[in-house]
Amino acid sequence: PQPNTSPAQLGAHLSEFTAREFAHSNALDVAVLRLGHVVISEEVAEQAYDPMWVDQRDAARAVDLLLQKRKTLDLRRPQSFHIFHLQSVSDRARFSSERICNALEFQPQYTFDDCI
């Protein structure tokens, strides 16, 4: 996606672009984890559902699994650059987390079913 002109968006875009270039030119193994809005599910239970939410405990577990499995993510790809989205695993989610869940054999433990 193309960033807007805010420093936060431009910084994230530049970081990802730089990581991709290092992966392609120097054969580094790079995985980009695009996290949604990191929250604690119990603290947002009474709020309107945000499809970008991901519980911080699930995010930490996914990062740990990603670091453990970083060498075996997708052998079909010649380059070593991978992008994963992690957010709410729901029919209402904005982006699918299916790829990271499958690659890491990971299923989030914290859900937002109680939200409005």
Side-chain angles (χ1 to χ4, degrees):
Q2 295 299 312
N4 62 31
T5 57
S6 73
Q9 287 260 328
L10 288 174
H13 182 74
L14 179 61
S15 298
E16 192 171 301
F17 177 81
T18 302
R20 184 178 67 232
E21 291 304 309
F22 271 105
H24 290 172
S25 64
N26 297 326
L28 295 177
D29 186 24
V30 176
V32 175
L33 180 56
R34 292 179 178 169
L35 291 173
H37 303 143
V38 181
V39 297
I40 298 174
S41 59
E42 293 86 0
E43 292 180 1
V44 296
E46 300 299 320
Q47 297 180 26
Y49 174 74
D50 180 348
M52 295 291 289
W53 281 341
V54 60
D55 189 278
Q56 70 179 6
R57 295 160 289 194
D58 284 332
R61 203 166 110 247
V63 168
D64 182 50
L65 288 170
L66 186 59
L67 290 171
Q68 290 176 34
K69 291 191 165 202
R70 68 183 182 267
K71 297 294 182 191
T72 60
L73 291 177
D74 189 349
L75 300 176
R76 295 169 293 162
R77 295 184 63 165
Q79 68 268 23
S80 57
F81 182 75
H82 309 277
I83 296 177
F84 296 103
H85 292 271
L86 182 60
Q87 62 178 8
S88 176
V89 176
S90 164
D91 293 339
R92 300 185 289 170
R94 183 171 175 199
F95 300 102
S96 173
S97 296
E98 183 178 357
R99 186 165 176 253
I100 192 169
C101 291
N102 290 339
L104 301 179
E105 299 171 8
F106 164 77
Q107 193 61 28
Q109 294 179 346
Y110 300 90
T111 62
F112 303 98
D113 296 333
D114 299 339
C115 296
I116 303 168

